[in-house]
């Protein structure tokens, strides 16, 4: 199976489980599996996947379809221009938290 077919099938599985952004999630998970950035995934859809990579992709899709956050599946999350390691013992940084940090910095920059 090639990247394009796997992503489409993965996206359909996620969509059927009402996961928000199923296409994006599927692409990001594929990027992790083939150890390439998302641009590679989008520019090389016909690349055939090794059986092990395909099995690992389905495993991630299965976990995501049960609601497991992408950040936990990737083991990392970007926050405030930095990459943080995340796992089940860590809260995932949220984008709205960045806004709170910015406001706090603005309020205290002259102190």
């Amino acid at each position: 199976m090639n990247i394009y077919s796997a992503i489409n099938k993965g996206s359909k599985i996620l969509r059927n489980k009402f996961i928000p952004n199923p296409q994006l999630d599927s692409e990001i998970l594929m990027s992790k599996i083939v150890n390439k950035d998302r641009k590679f995934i989008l520019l090389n859809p016909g690349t055939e996947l090794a059986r092990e990579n395909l099995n690992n992709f389905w495993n991630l899709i299965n976990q995501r379809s049960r609601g497991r956050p992408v950040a936990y599946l990737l083991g990392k999350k970007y926050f405030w221009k930095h990459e943080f390691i995340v796992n089940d013992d860590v809260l995932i940084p949220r984008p709205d938290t960045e806004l709170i940090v910015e406001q706090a910095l603005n309020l205290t920059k002259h102190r």
Side-chain angles (χ1 to χ4, degrees):
M1 181 176 283
N2 63 32
I3 288 174
Y4 176 81
S5 298
I7 287 174
N8 281 342
K9 187 173 179 182
S11 177
K12 184 176 180 180
I13 291 168
L14 297 179
R15 190 176 303 106
N16 288 339
K17 295 290 186 168
F18 305 104
I19 300 296
N21 306 308
Q23 182 74 24
L24 177 61
D25 286 2
S26 191
E27 291 169 2
I28 290 170
L29 296 176
M30 179 61 73
S31 295
K32 176 182 175 59
I33 292 302
V34 298
N35 200 27
K36 302 280 186 184
D37 63 12
R38 194 164 158 247
K39 286 182 253 178
F40 176 88
I41 300 304
L42 297 174
L43 294 173
N44 298 282
T47 301
E48 290 294 319
L49 296 166
R51 182 171 302 279
E52 182 179 353
N53 284 347
L54 194 55
N55 289 339
N56 290 336
F57 177 70
W58 296 134
N59 180 35
L60 291 178
I61 290 292
N62 186 3
Q63 289 181 63
R64 182 67 188 118
S65 72
R66 289 179 291 171
R68 187 163 172 83
V70 172
Y72 288 152
L73 296 173
L74 299 178
K76 64 183 178 181
K77 178 70 176 177
Y78 287 94
F79 179 79
W80 200 263
K81 303 174 191 153
H82 299 283
E83 181 180 271
F84 290 87
I85 296 171
V86 296
N87 60 32
D88 292 332
D89 299 324
V90 177
L91 293 175
I92 299 170
R94 302 287 182 203
D96 49 333
T97 307
E98 288 185 357
L99 297 173
I100 294 170
V101 170
E102 284 179 11
Q103 291 300 316
L105 290 174
N106 284 336
L107 290 171
T108 60
K109 70 178 162 184
H110 297 296
R111 291 182 184 176

